[in-house]
């Protein structure tokens, strides 16, 4: 659950399918580590990413996750076993999938 919050935070900072996100994650073992590196200024962010970082947090991600659950929206992150294997093979795959319905 905690790792899901960090994936959501990173997706909010970098956008749904960002090469910058995957550049960061190529040096990290987890989304939590990636978020920590960004928080500590150990990864250079573009101007827009900096602004989105200032508005993001795992707490805000928890609110997003809560709202999704209330609305019946399933959240699947890149770190999840449920993440589609075919999507893992594309260039800059989405870090988070929001699914509704069948």
């Amino acid at each position: 659950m905690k790792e899901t919050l960090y994936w959501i935070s990173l997706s909010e900072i970098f956008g749904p399918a960002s090469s910058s996100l995957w550049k960061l994650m190529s040096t990290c073992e987890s989304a939590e580590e990636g978020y920590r590196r960004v928080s500590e200024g150990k990864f250079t962010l573009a101007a827009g990413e900096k602004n989105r970082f200032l508005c993001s947090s795992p707490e805000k991600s928890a609110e997003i996750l809560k709202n999704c659950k209330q609305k019946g929206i399933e959240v699947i992150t890149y770190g999840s076993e449920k993440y589609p294997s075919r999507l893992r093979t594309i260039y800059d795959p989405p870090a988070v999938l929001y699914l509704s319905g069948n």
Side-chain angles (χ1 to χ4, degrees), residues 11-92:
S11 181
E12 291 290 307
I13 294 166
F14 290 101
S18 164
S19 59
S20 294
L21 169 62
W22 296 111
K23 182 179 176 184
L24 168 68
M25 292 309 296
S26 71
T27 64
C28 299
E29 292 185 24
S30 68
E32 181 177 6
E33 180 185 353
Y35 187 83
R36 188 175 57 248
R37 288 193 66 214
V38 169
S39 298
E40 294 170 352
K42 294 180 180 177
F43 186 81
T44 304
L45 298 174
E49 294 166 346
K50 286 180 187 177
N51 291 335
R52 290 188 297 272
F53 170 73
L54 295 173
C55 297
S56 75
S57 71
E59 293 79 19
K60 288 185 180 181
S61 295
E63 190 65 31
I64 291 170
L65 190 58
K66 177 183 171 186
N67 289 335
C68 286
K69 286 185 180 187
Q70 289 174 345
K71 295 175 181 177
I73 299 170
E74 184 178 7
V75 177
I76 299 175
T77 65
Y78 188 83
S80 168
E81 291 178 9
K82 294 177 80 175
Y83 193 90
S85 59
R86 293 182 76 187
L87 271 182
R88 288 185 193 276
T89 64
I90 68 170
Y91 186 74
D92 296 335

